[in-house]
Amino acid sequence: VHMSPNTSLSLIYTHFLNCQVSGPSSKGGAIFVGAHSNLVVETSSFKNCFSEYSGGCIHADELSNVAIDATLFEKASVGTCHHPITRCVSDSSWRDPLIGDDCSYYDAHPEVCGWQAKPCCGCGGGGVG
């Protein structure tokens, strides 16, 4: 699902299975939420969704709103590099300001990256090494 900027969408009882997006601008394995858009997902599931860049299941662009309720996320992942030939390196000095986890945790568990940008390869951040 690709939501253009300034749109709204509600998904109820929707199941995404084996969704994948790839390429240099790949964001949101199942759903890409455009800037200033609104997405509501209820009683749904995402399984085996993949994105090479950001948002294994859902990528929310700037100033978008996403509300999720009673939804299962299973085996979502993002690629580890912005460029397929180079190796991604996470910021080793960064710590999540709210819970203190570092990039090693997020790189191992990209499904918990959340909506805020993190300088970790598992979350679509990091640098070229």
Side-chain angles (χ1 to χ4, degrees), residues 19-34:
C19 300
Q20 180 174 331
V21 64
S22 60
S25 63
S26 65
K27 296 179 181 178
I31 302 173
F32 175 88
V33 184

Side-chain angles (χ1 to χ4, degrees), residues 84-104:
I85 298 173
T86 59
R87 190 173 69 84
C88 185
V89 178
S90 291
D91 182 346
S92 61
S93 64
W94 180 83
R95 297 279 183 271
D96 187 305
L98 296 175
I99 55 178
D101 287 329
D102 63 9
C103 282
S104 63

Side-chain angles (χ1 to χ4, degrees), residues 27-47:
K27 296 179 181 178
I31 302 173
F32 175 88
V33 184
H36 305 277
S37 294
N38 297 297
L39 172 67
V40 175
V41 180
E42 296 179 8
T43 318
S44 298
S45 67
F46 294 83
K47 185 174 182 179

Side-chain angles (χ1 to χ4, degrees), residues 15-84:
H15 304 286
F16 294 89
L17 178 63
N18 300 324
C19 300
Q20 180 174 331
V21 64
S22 60
S25 63
S26 65
K27 296 179 181 178
I31 302 173
F32 175 88
V33 184
H36 305 277
S37 294
N38 297 297
L39 172 67
V40 175
V41 180
E42 296 179 8
T43 318
S44 298
S45 67
F46 294 83
K47 185 174 182 179
N48 296 327
C49 295
F50 173 80
S51 169
E52 281 187 6
Y53 180 76
S54 174
C57 292
I58 301 171
H59 172 85
D61 230 348
E62 61 186 57
L63 303 175
S64 59
N65 295 302
V66 177
I68 299 172
D69 185 40
T71 296
L72 174 67
F73 291 87
E74 201 176 336
K75 296 184 182 178
S77 63
V78 295
T80 57
C81 294
H82 294 281
H83 190 279

